[in-house]
Amino acid sequence: MVFFEPPKPKAEPSSEYKTLMTRLRREEEARNYERMINPTSPMQSFAQRFPNSTYVNLFESNQRAVTEEDDEITYADINRQMALIINILVSIVACSVAIWIASSRWSTPRRLGLSMGGSGMVGVAEVVVYAGYLRRIKEAKEKGKKHIEIKEVIKTWVIGGDDKEPDQDDIQTVKTFGKQGVKARRRLR
């Protein structure tokens, strides 16, 4: 049987520590309350985040109105693009190393040419696949904007009311334009 010594009791925190922790908790609660009252916009474009930057009007696409939602570059887009660039670079380097190791019996100039050519082909293939992905996303957005969805309310129920068949006046048609339908919506009666 092995004897384990019981743990020593923790020292009581000092009064300075207690006041510091109380102040920090109070400040954190105030920050949380401020964030709850005034939430920040999660999607901001570069021009919105840094309006006085000299790089805002550097490219022609940024010179258009900031209100265009489809053409704005948000931080989520930038993060996704940075991850994509890193992914492509890792693919190219990994392919180059794999080809270099696989051709270990060849002469150095041939190995270098083969690994450079193979990694170049992988880079071109990655860019072509990503360009196709962007094209399909753009087509889907355009198709979603053109799509008209028609909804008809055939019958409504009123609690405590009688069950009667709907008249022509009771039928309500809602036309929704676009995927979200928030921007252009009409109710026809």
Side-chain angles (χ1 to χ4, degrees), residues 71-92:
D71 293 333
E72 286 187 6
I73 297 176
T74 61
Y75 282 102
D77 294 336
I78 292 172
N79 287 336
R80 187 179 68 239
Q81 290 171 359
M82 289 301 294
L84 176 77
I85 291 169
I86 292 169
N87 184 14
I88 289 174
L89 290 176
V90 167
S91 297
I92 290 171

Short mmCIF file of all heavy atoms in Angstrom, two decimals, residues 71-92:
data_model
loop_
_atom_site.label_atom_id
_atom_site.label_comp_id
_atom_site.label_asym_id
_atom_site.label_seq_id
_atom_site.Cartn_x
_atom_site.Cartn_y
_atom_site.Cartn_z
N ASP A 71 -20.38 43.37 -54.42
CA ASP A 71 -19.00 43.59 -54.82
C ASP A 71 -18.08 43.95 -53.67
O ASP A 71 -16.90 44.18 -53.89
CB ASP A 71 -18.95 44.70 -55.87
CG ASP A 71 -19.61 44.27 -57.17
OD1 ASP A 71 -19.63 43.05 -57.43
OD2 ASP A 71 -20.11 45.13 -57.90
N GLU A 72 -18.59 44.05 -52.46
CA GLU A 72 -17.74 44.42 -51.34
C GLU A 72 -16.86 43.25 -50.94
O GLU A 72 -17.27 42.10 -50.97
CB GLU A 72 -18.59 44.85 -50.15
CG GLU A 72 -19.20 46.20 -50.32
CD GLU A 72 -19.88 46.66 -49.05
OE1 GLU A 72 -19.77 45.97 -48.04
OE2 GLU A 72 -20.51 47.71 -49.10
N ILE A 73 -15.65 43.57 -50.59
CA ILE A 73 -14.73 42.56 -50.08
C ILE A 73 -14.75 42.67 -48.56
O ILE A 73 -14.40 43.70 -48.00
CB ILE A 73 -13.31 42.79 -50.62
CG1 ILE A 73 -13.30 42.65 -52.14
CG2 ILE A 73 -12.33 41.82 -49.98
CD1 ILE A 73 -11.97 42.96 -52.77
N THR A 74 -15.19 41.64 -47.90
CA THR A 74 -15.28 41.65 -46.45
C THR A 74 -14.10 40.92 -45.85
O THR A 74 -13.34 40.26 -46.54
CB THR A 74 -16.59 40.99 -46.00
OG1 THR A 74 -16.58 39.63 -46.44
CG2 THR A 74 -17.80 41.72 -46.55
N TYR A 75 -13.97 41.04 -44.55
CA TYR A 75 -12.88 40.37 -43.88
C TYR A 75 -13.03 38.86 -43.95
O TYR A 75 -12.04 38.13 -43.99
CB TYR A 75 -12.78 40.83 -42.42
CG TYR A 75 -12.12 42.17 -42.32
CD1 TYR A 75 -12.87 43.31 -42.11
CD2 TYR A 75 -10.76 42.29 -42.47
CE1 TYR A 75 -12.26 44.54 -42.05
CE2 TYR A 75 -10.15 43.51 -42.42
CZ TYR A 75 -10.90 44.64 -42.20
OH TYR A 75 -10.31 45.85 -42.15
N ALA A 76 -14.25 38.35 -43.99
CA ALA A 76 -14.45 36.91 -44.15
C ALA A 76 -13.93 36.46 -45.51
O ALA A 76 -13.31 35.39 -45.62
CB ALA A 76 -15.93 36.57 -44.02
N ASP A 77 -14.14 37.28 -46.56
CA ASP A 77 -13.60 36.95 -47.88
C ASP A 77 -12.08 36.95 -47.87
O ASP A 77 -11.44 36.07 -48.44
CB ASP A 77 -14.09 37.96 -48.93
CG ASP A 77 -15.58 37.87 -49.16
OD1 ASP A 77 -16.15 36.80 -48.90
OD2 ASP A 77 -16.17 38.88 -49.59
N ILE A 78 -11.50 37.93 -47.21
CA ILE A 78 -10.04 38.01 -47.15
C ILE A 78 -9.47 36.82 -46.41
O ILE A 78 -8.47 36.22 -46.84
CB ILE A 78 -9.60 39.34 -46.51
CG1 ILE A 78 -9.96 40.50 -47.45
CG2 ILE A 78 -8.11 39.35 -46.22
CD1 ILE A 78 -9.75 41.86 -46.86
N ASN A 79 -10.09 36.46 -45.30
CA ASN A 79 -9.61 35.28 -44.55
C ASN A 79 -9.70 34.02 -45.39
O ASN A 79 -8.80 33.18 -45.37
CB ASN A 79 -10.40 35.11 -43.25
CG ASN A 79 -10.02 36.15 -42.23
OD1 ASN A 79 -8.94 36.70 -42.27
ND2 ASN A 79 -10.93 36.41 -41.30
N ARG A 80 -10.80 33.86 -46.12
CA ARG A 80 -10.96 32.68 -46.97
C ARG A 80 -9.91 32.67 -48.08
O ARG A 80 -9.32 31.64 -48.39
CB ARG A 80 -12.38 32.67 -47.57
CG ARG A 80 -12.68 31.40 -48.33
CD ARG A 80 -14.07 31.37 -48.90
NE ARG A 80 -14.20 32.36 -49.95
CZ ARG A 80 -15.08 33.36 -49.94
NH1 ARG A 80 -15.90 33.51 -48.95
NH2 ARG A 80 -15.14 34.22 -50.94
N GLN A 81 -9.64 33.83 -48.66
CA GLN A 81 -8.65 33.90 -49.73
C GLN A 81 -7.23 33.66 -49.21
O GLN A 81 -6.43 33.01 -49.89
CB GLN A 81 -8.73 35.26 -50.42
CG GLN A 81 -10.00 35.41 -51.23
CD GLN A 81 -10.22 36.81 -51.74
OE1 GLN A 81 -9.42 37.71 -51.48
NE2 GLN A 81 -11.31 37.02 -52.45
N MET A 82 -6.93 34.13 -48.01
CA MET A 82 -5.61 33.87 -47.44
C MET A 82 -5.43 32.38 -47.16
O MET A 82 -4.36 31.81 -47.41
CB MET A 82 -5.42 34.68 -46.14
CG MET A 82 -5.26 36.16 -46.37
SD MET A 82 -3.87 36.58 -47.42
CE MET A 82 -2.52 36.08 -46.39
N ALA A 83 -6.48 31.73 -46.65
CA ALA A 83 -6.40 30.29 -46.41
C ALA A 83 -6.22 29.55 -47.74
O ALA A 83 -5.48 28.55 -47.81
CB ALA A 83 -7.66 29.81 -45.70
N LEU A 84 -6.88 30.03 -48.78
CA LEU A 84 -6.74 29.40 -50.10
C LEU A 84 -5.32 29.55 -50.63
O LEU A 84 -4.75 28.59 -51.15
CB LEU A 84 -7.73 30.04 -51.08
CG LEU A 84 -7.60 29.54 -52.51
CD1 LEU A 84 -8.23 28.17 -52.62
CD2 LEU A 84 -8.22 30.51 -53.46
N ILE A 85 -4.73 30.73 -50.48
CA ILE A 85 -3.35 30.94 -50.95
C ILE A 85 -2.39 30.03 -50.21
O ILE A 85 -1.52 29.40 -50.82
CB ILE A 85 -2.97 32.43 -50.79
CG1 ILE A 85 -3.76 33.27 -51.78
CG2 ILE A 85 -1.47 32.63 -50.98
CD1 ILE A 85 -3.66 34.76 -51.55
N ILE A 86 -2.55 29.93 -48.90
CA ILE A 86 -1.68 29.04 -48.11
C ILE A 86 -1.88 27.60 -48.54
O ILE A 86 -0.90 26.84 -48.68
CB ILE A 86 -1.94 29.24 -46.61
CG1 ILE A 86 -1.46 30.63 -46.18
CG2 ILE A 86 -1.26 28.16 -45.78
CD1 ILE A 86 -1.89 31.03 -44.80
N ASN A 87 -3.11 27.20 -48.79
CA ASN A 87 -3.40 25.83 -49.23
C ASN A 87 -2.73 25.53 -50.57
O ASN A 87 -2.13 24.47 -50.76
CB ASN A 87 -4.91 25.64 -49.33
CG ASN A 87 -5.29 24.23 -49.68
OD1 ASN A 87 -4.48 23.31 -49.62
ND2 ASN A 87 -6.55 24.04 -50.05
N ILE A 88 -2.81 26.47 -51.50
CA ILE A 88 -2.19 26.27 -52.82
C ILE A 88 -0.67 26.18 -52.68
O ILE A 88 -0.03 25.32 -53.29
CB ILE A 88 -2.60 27.40 -53.78
CG1 ILE A 88 -4.07 27.24 -54.16
CG2 ILE A 88 -1.74 27.41 -55.02
CD1 ILE A 88 -4.63 28.36 -55.00
N LEU A 89 -0.08 27.05 -51.88
CA LEU A 89 1.37 27.01 -51.69
C LEU A 89 1.83 25.71 -51.05
O LEU A 89 2.85 25.13 -51.46
CB LEU A 89 1.83 28.21 -50.87
CG LEU A 89 1.75 29.57 -51.56
CD1 LEU A 89 2.15 30.67 -50.60
CD2 LEU A 89 2.61 29.59 -52.80
N VAL A 90 1.08 25.23 -50.07
CA VAL A 90 1.43 23.95 -49.43
C VAL A 90 1.32 22.81 -50.45
O VAL A 90 2.18 21.92 -50.49
CB VAL A 90 0.54 23.70 -48.20
CG1 VAL A 90 0.65 22.27 -47.72
CG2 VAL A 90 0.92 24.66 -47.08
N SER A 91 0.28 22.84 -51.29
CA SER A 91 0.13 21.80 -52.32
C SER A 91 1.30 21.81 -53.30
O SER A 91 1.84 20.76 -53.66
CB SER A 91 -1.17 22.00 -53.10
OG SER A 91 -2.27 21.89 -52.27
N ILE A 92 1.70 23.00 -53.72
CA ILE A 92 2.80 23.11 -54.67
C ILE A 92 4.11 22.62 -54.06
O ILE A 92 4.85 21.84 -54.67
CB ILE A 92 2.94 24.57 -55.16
CG1 ILE A 92 1.75 24.94 -56.04
CG2 ILE A 92 4.24 24.80 -55.90
CD1 ILE A 92 1.67 26.40 -56.40
#
